[in-house]
Amino acid sequence: MAHNDFDSFWLFYLREHSRPRTRALHYLGTGLVLLVAAAAVATASWWLLVLMPIAGYGFAWTAHVTVEQNRPATFTHPLWSLISDFRMFFLWVSGRLGAELRRAGVDEAQR
């Protein structure tokens, strides 16, 4: 499916992350990415930055293979996928993700 704008991609992205366990593994990976970045800055240990993609993609791709059983959106839209990872994380942290999931047609009760 072609996505000509970010909003249509965002709704697709949410549908590709419809299971709570998939999202939980993404949150874990994104949270680790933020912690690694903060540790690198706080300690000036720039080599830690190498761990960021391992932390982020490791958990996310594991979720897609084992839980959601689909192909990560990273392969077709890498930048929009990265933006969406952080958007989903911060909407979840702020308690506002549910409205976006409903807008994407994700039925949380059935997952």
Side-chain angles (χ1 to χ4, degrees), residues 37 40-50:
V41 170
T43 64
S45 299
W46 306 116
W47 67 269
L48 289 172
L49 298 177
V50 174

Side-chain angles (χ1 to χ4, degrees), residues 29-40:
T30 302
L32 283 174
V33 163
L34 295 173
L35 287 174
V36 168

Side-chain angles (χ1 to χ4, degrees), residues 27-81:
Y27 304 148
L28 183 58
T30 302
L32 283 174
V33 163
L34 295 173
L35 287 174
V36 168
V41 170
T43 64
S45 299
W46 306 116
W47 67 269
L48 289 172
L49 298 177
V50 174
L51 300 176
M52 291 172 60
I54 296 167
Y57 289 124
F59 285 98
W61 291 355
T62 297
H64 285 287
V65 170
T66 63
V67 179
E68 204 76 43
Q69 298 179 349
N70 62 16
R71 186 171 182 243
T74 303
F75 297 121
T76 54
H77 291 84
L79 183 58
W80 282 356
S81 181

Side-chain angles (χ1 to χ4, degrees), residues 80-96:
W80 282 356
S81 181
L82 180 64
I83 293 166
S84 296
D85 281 340
F86 283 98
R87 183 178 183 185
M88 183 172 70
F89 178 81
F90 287 111
L91 284 171
W92 171 70
V93 167
S94 66
R96 298 179 298 145

